[in-house]
Amino acid sequence: MAHTEIPQAENPNSIKDVFERYYKIVEILRKQCPWDKEQTHESLAPLIIEETYELVQGIHNGDINDVKKELGDVLLHIVMHSVIASETDKFNIIDVINANAEKMINRHPHIFGDVEVSGEEEVTKNWEQLKMKEGQKSVLSGVPTAMPALLRADRIQHKASRIGFDWNNIDGVWDKVNEELNEFKEEVKNKNQEKIEEEYGDLLFALVNLGRYLNIEPEAALMRTNDKFTRRFQYIEKKANDLGRKLNEMTLEEMDAIWDEAKSKGL
């Protein structure tokens, strides 16, 4: 089988030429690659979520080369979805870009219009008001229900705060955390599993709100804790293996001692 000619950019430093080359490559893959030909919006949906999380992980790891690579993977999905839609004349990449450009213009009247703003806080309030004018029925309707619950809680609280539904200061947030913790403890004593889960959720929601006041991203914070736990637990596994022991045969005290050792090593 003859090789397909690889598209080239007339000017490798031109955004226009480089993007046109990339788009042609994706079009070729869609027509000729057995895997790409079979893909649909639905089949690609979970993959773009995976790629987005890999991008987020690269950002949190501070790995700029990984960020560049993962941005490319996300871009592939954007272009591929556009190519698929263009095959049935639903929309194309030009429609995607133009629609988003117009949205950015409309959402930034303080840049492209004569609206005056005093700072970031006013910009975010205007943003939410403009979205409502565009037909959004609720301030919270822009938060996807499919988001991970912790991340969704954070976004819900951010959006509610933009229109003034928020505590006046962090003292109220601490009071709410303590209130929810006490209610959670009470239901644990009552052994009502349904209420225990409800109060546990309320406590998590309050802690997410506290994190927002302290400029902590809950998803990122928990991600780092997960990674830390994994490193230390794997250290225990390695140490046990070096000692010729099986974890399920070790006492909790023995594993705790190795955990503390891992902690002292900065793992």
Side-chain angles (χ1 to χ4, degrees), residues 108-221:
H108 293 80
H110 55 289
I111 301 297
F112 301 108
D114 55 7
V115 173
E116 297 290 334
V117 294
S118 58
E120 180 186 359
E121 184 176 348
E122 195 169 348
V123 170
T124 56
K125 285 184 178 179
N126 288 346
W127 181 280
E128 295 300 335
Q129 291 171 0
L130 288 165
K131 286 165 70 174
M132 297 298 285
K133 287 181 180 179
E134 292 169 4
Q136 184 169 295
K137 295 181 179 180
S138 167
V139 170
L140 303 182
S141 61
V143 183
T145 56
M147 287 178 79
L150 198 64
L151 184 57
R152 185 179 175 216
D154 187 47
R155 296 309 304 153
I156 286 172
Q157 292 171 15
H158 269 286
K159 287 183 175 292
S161 70
R162 286 180 176 180
I163 51 90
F165 190 75
D166 204 354
W167 299 99
N168 292 325
N169 54 59
I170 197 171
D171 292 339
V173 184
W174 276 116
D175 289 343
K176 188 62 175 175
V177 168
N178 290 324
E179 175 190 327
E180 296 298 350
L181 178 60
N182 290 332
E183 290 178 0
F184 173 60
K185 288 180 177 179
E186 186 64 28
E187 293 305 333
V188 170
K189 289 180 182 177
N190 295 336
K191 298 181 180 180
N192 183 329
Q193 188 62 32
E194 184 177 342
K195 293 295 292 183
I196 289 172
E197 291 181 9
E198 180 182 337
E199 294 302 336
Y200 182 66
D202 289 348
L203 176 58
L204 286 175
F205 195 83
L207 286 171
V208 168
N209 205 22
L210 178 62
R212 181 172 61 84
Y213 265 81
L214 297 173
N215 295 315
I216 297 170
E217 292 183 35
E219 194 78 13

Side-chain angles (χ1 to χ4, degrees), residues 234-247 249-251 253-259 261:
Q234 289 176 341
Y235 182 86
I236 296 175
E237 290 178 315
K238 182 179 183 304
K239 193 77 171 182
N241 186 63
D242 292 343
L243 295 171
R245 303 282 302 281
K246 293 181 179 179
L247 283 184
E249 296 174 352
M250 296 179 72
T251 65
E253 289 74 17
E254 288 175 314
M255 288 189 283
D256 276 341
I258 301 174
W259 176 278
E261 183 180 320

